[in-house]
Amino acid sequence: MAVNEVPQQEVSLNELEPILEGFKGEKWALIPLLQQVQEKYGYIPPETIEPIARSLRLFPSEVQGVVTFYSQFYTTPRGRNIIRVCRGTACHVRGSGSVLKILKQNLEVEPGETTLDLNYTLETVACLGACFLAPTMMVNREYYGKLAPPRVMSVLKQYAPSKKEKGHGEG
Ligand code: FES
């Protein structure tokens, strides 16, 4: 099950106030304001739309329209690590299908989804611009090429949540 499928946790709006303060009444500032909100929360939580609109004297539908229009804005939580698997032709003929399959099986998410522990978001892209490394994937800003299933698993392990992050009360 992915985070996109479960009810989202409530978001604290306390952190929103200082961001809004910086742009009060400045309609032009919607995009930089949204960028700061996304930096803070990792995405644009739906409950921030109304306060943002009020603060800039816009309609909530106008704010929502911009969030939906620009692909730089995310409306669901994102993982700490973004995995991008290439589905371009060069990668496809060299086995990107099995790279994607092993990631889907291990993370239990589909492309576009985030794992419940918010550690990974899985995405596919048309070409990563490193076809000579096919099949290629990226994790955050790092490229990984000439992938086979064991290598995919060892890359995944590098980004596994540390024990400290995993949890409370363990050990
Ligand atoms: S086709 Fe995969 S990197 Fe270009």
Side-chain angles (χ1 to χ4, degrees), residues 34-55:
L34 287 171
Q35 283 166 339
Q36 287 196 15
V37 171
Q38 182 155 286
E39 233 164 76
K40 176 61 71 189
Y41 295 99
Y43 71 114
I44 310 289
E47 48 274 73
T48 62
I49 299 288
E50 234 186 87
I52 291 171
R54 217 178 309 125
S55 168

Side-chain angles (χ1 to χ4, degrees), residues 86 88-91 127-131 136:
C86 180
T89 310
C91 289
C127 177
L128 286 169
C131 314
T136 315

